[in-house]
Amino acid sequence: MSEIPEKASGGVVWQSSPPGSIYDYIRVASFSIGPDGLVEQWSRRAVDLFGVSAEEARGKDPVEAFMPADLRERGHRRVREILDGKEWTGLVPFRIPGEDRPHGIAEMYVMPSETQSGERAALCIVVDVRALRRIETDLAASQAIFGQSPFGFLLFGTDLTVKRANRRFATVFGGSADDHRGRTVHDYLNLPEADRMTAALRSVLETGESVTDFEIVGAAPGSRDRRHWSINLYRVHSGSGRPIGVAGLGIDVTRRHNAAREAANARRNLALLNEAGARIGNSLDLEATARELLDVSVPGFCDLASVDLYQGLLTGDEAPPGRWGSSHDVGYGAGSAELRRVAFASAVSDTPLRTDESHGPGSGCCGPEPIEVGAVHRYPFNSPCAGALRTGRLRTVPGSDGELVQTTLVVPMVAHDTVVGLVQFSRTKGSEPFGERDRALAVELAARAAVCIDNARLYRREHERALILQRSLLPPGDPEAAGLDIACRYLPGTAATEVGGDWFDVIELPGHRTALVIGDVMGRGLRAAVAMGELRTAVRTLAQLDLEPAEVLSHLDEIARGLGAPIGAQQSRGHKSRGPELSEVYLATCVYAVYDPVTRRCTFANAGHLPPVLVEPGEEALLLDVPPGMPLGVGGEPFEEVEVELPEGALLALYTDGLVESRDHPLDEGLSAFRRALTDPARPLEDVCDRVLTSLDTGHGEDDIALLMARIQGLPSEAVGDWRLPREPRSVGRARELARTQLKAWDLEPLVDTVELLVSELVTNALRYGEGEIRLRLLRDRTLVCEVWDAGLVQPRRRRAKDTDEGGRGLQLVGLLSSSWGSRRTPRGKTVWFELALPDGEGAAEPTVEQLLSMF
């Protein structure tokens, strides 16, 4: 009660009714009638009910003042009876003074009384009938809610105990509705849910803000099934607005929750499958594909997962993986072959689970010891994992008591009836158990990853073969050339891209000249690598013929056009052809350059390749104006040559498009960046190569990169001996004398005898079979080269002389005593040459008797 109690006589304590009592609802009013039938006392509630103040009501006849005219006669009779000592109860229409129509109906209880002088009077108690009807309606509605509602209904008091429960609630939680009075939510729910519900009740009671669709989870008495209820809470007030409790309406939404969960699981599974299709298998790498599978699965599908692949699959074993479903499974399919743990992922821990009897993916579900990533292991023959590998079917392994894992799905990875590995999906205790949909999804995820892994295996096998072929065709080690300092780089594309057809070569030519070659076969894969190998071999063969650069490219063009392999239907004998044969066209670009260190002149020919870059000392890098020509394989167009004199110390760079072109920037930007990277050509050549590769955007791995750089270092004049001889017999002796003098000046006395003999033979042949003036030239670099020029076009041919022949053994002698020899055409005749290794201090090796006798 809200008011301070007051003491009355006799020690009895009276307390006033608090606001919101029943009297506030029924609107009880009172007034008294004196012996003369007039109003003596008029209560405040009568003022509220009739709308007449006490001053206006006192001293008036209540019948005349408040009753309609047609009821006044009966009203006066009742008043007289009451004053005679009779009680009366009834319904009386009343009106507010000044209004003709009835204002309402009052239920009146009149009790006779006596004044202090003993005269008869009356006390009248009046209740507004409309308030009583409203109370009856409210009670009926309340009874309908509590007694007939199909939903559970609770009324909590301000102390959060149950004041009332309906029959539906009692049906679910047992007993009768009255049995639940005085209970709390802790009597129905587990501690976490009860605390949540208590906090919500307290918040509604304190703030007055309703709570809708508040979901709690629990179980009915005697049942272990988890039920889901949706609770609506709102505060209940008295008529005066005082909070008297909280009403709660509960609806069992378990079916709706299960349906929503199934729909959410279906959407999640579809989303996982869609994500798996987008993310798994993009790398074409076995381990990366396994990690992509786990990235999709954890934590979206499970809490822990691991992937094991057969060791033979990872090491490139050509033996096919085991096929399941047969009675004679061996090798991979036997379930006991070696596997390697290639990936592990956990949403609850970064390390494999370590328990006494672990069944999670950290331990492989088949033993107490956890398996680390990268470890090679075997599963016991009778284990669930080995059984899944043998049968190719999913196994469900429950977790043990006391460990974190609730259930593990052991799923073999099957591609084209071939088991390539094993994936394990685990959920920890507290997570939702695996259902049938989850098992089907696990099989689908494993199958998709298995197909990608099998494709990656096949791709890797072809990729490795192509790389072996490609690398075997590149120049071994650091190539050397006379008058050139050479550095080269070759960067294959990343493992996710196919092998390209880029190649470069450095070929030694007669006369200490050097052929620099760089090319790029259009297309990728093993076919491009094979075509590159064929073209590189052809270039080396043509280079040994000492052809002009334009001629070399013309021959290469013919060869490239012949590399196409028929792919259309062949015309069978006796059958009509359905159309012309289709053939795969191989196109390639190439730059072929020949550098002469004596003159420091370089002759270029280009077949659709990017132009060479030249950096002269103290100047900016420039693109050489070499006519691009058509790519090799197009045919029909001649190739042009450009001869450029290269100054001492200049830098020449040949490169493929992978260095300067990518999807991130246009070709012009790449060429400009490449030229800027060559601004300091005086640095060591190896450093220049490294600077180019680090400063340019070459890390994208979209294409192979080949870079060939040469710094010009011409032969010094003192390393060259050049003489012209008249066409007369004494020139033979003159040639020997010049050669002997030059060799002594070079401190090459051990070679004098051999050189005099061979020079005599070549000059004699020039006099006998050649034409015009004779030219003798000696070149000293890493070897000694001797050249004899004349204007004749007839090429010398080595033959075996008969026993009776007096001559014809000169070229045999040249071939026997020199390390190599040959002849080549020149614009005005031919050149015959031989080469000798420089002495190492032990003297030149003399020919054996058997070698000399072989000439006869």
Side-chain angles (χ1 to χ4, degrees), residues 112 127 143 160 208 225 238 336 415 479 517 528 563 667 793:
V127 178
Q143 183 61 32
L160 303 185
D225 295 337
S238 67
S336 59
V517 190
L563 291 179
L667 177 60
L793 298 179

Side-chain angles (χ1 to χ4, degrees), residues 429-645:
K429 291 179 179 178
S431 298
E432 186 177 348
F434 287 114
E436 288 302 320
R437 291 179 183 267
D438 296 325
R439 292 179 176 85
L441 177 61
V443 172
E444 179 66 22
L445 288 174
R448 291 196 178 197
V451 170
C452 295
I453 286 175
D454 195 47
N455 291 339
R457 175 182 67 86
L458 297 174
Y459 166 79
R460 187 178 68 175
R461 184 175 63 184
E462 179 178 344
H463 189 261
E464 288 176 350
R465 291 175 178 175
L467 280 178
I468 292 173
L469 173 62
Q470 184 186 52
R471 289 168 180 167
S472 67
L473 296 173
L474 295 174
D478 297 326
E480 296 181 352
L484 292 176
D485 180 15
I486 294 179
C488 55
R489 295 289 187 274
Y490 180 80
L491 298 179
T494 60
T497 60
E498 293 186 275
V499 170
D502 294 14
W503 93 91
F504 66 92
D505 209 344
V506 178
I507 307 170
E508 294 186 43
L509 299 177
H512 286 317
R513 294 173 303 139
T514 303
L516 303 176
V517 190
I518 195 160
D520 185 2
V521 176
M522 299 181 186
R524 308 194 65 79
L526 188 59
R527 288 177 176 266
V530 170
M532 177 268 283
E534 294 184 357
L535 290 176
R536 179 178 179 273
T537 302
V539 169
R540 280 195 158 262
T541 302
L542 294 170
Q544 296 306 318
L545 297 177
D546 209 359
L547 302 176
E548 296 296 325
E551 289 185 79
V552 172
L553 293 186
S554 296
H555 287 292
L556 282 179
D557 181 53
E558 294 291 337
I559 294 172
R561 283 190 287 169
L563 291 179
I567 61 174
Q570 300 291 336
Q571 183 176 359
S572 301
R573 184 175 299 177
H575 295 80
K576 293 183 178 180
S577 175
R578 297 183 179 179
E581 286 189 359
L582 299 177
S583 63
E584 186 174 359
V585 178
Y586 284 94
L587 299 178
T589 62
C590 180
V591 169
Y592 185 87
V594 175
Y595 171 69
D596 187 343
V598 178
T599 62
R600 293 200 312 275
R601 301 188 70 85
C602 189
T603 304
F604 296 91
N606 190 355
H609 201 80
L610 294 173
V613 174
L614 178 65
V615 187
E616 297 185 7
E619 301 291 339
E620 294 183 354
L622 298 175
L623 297 176
L624 290 179
D625 187 13
V626 179
M630 299 297 292
L632 302 177
V634 174
E637 293 292 332
F639 297 97
E640 299 182 44
E641 293 181 358
V642 172
E643 189 176 61
V644 179
E645 183 174 351

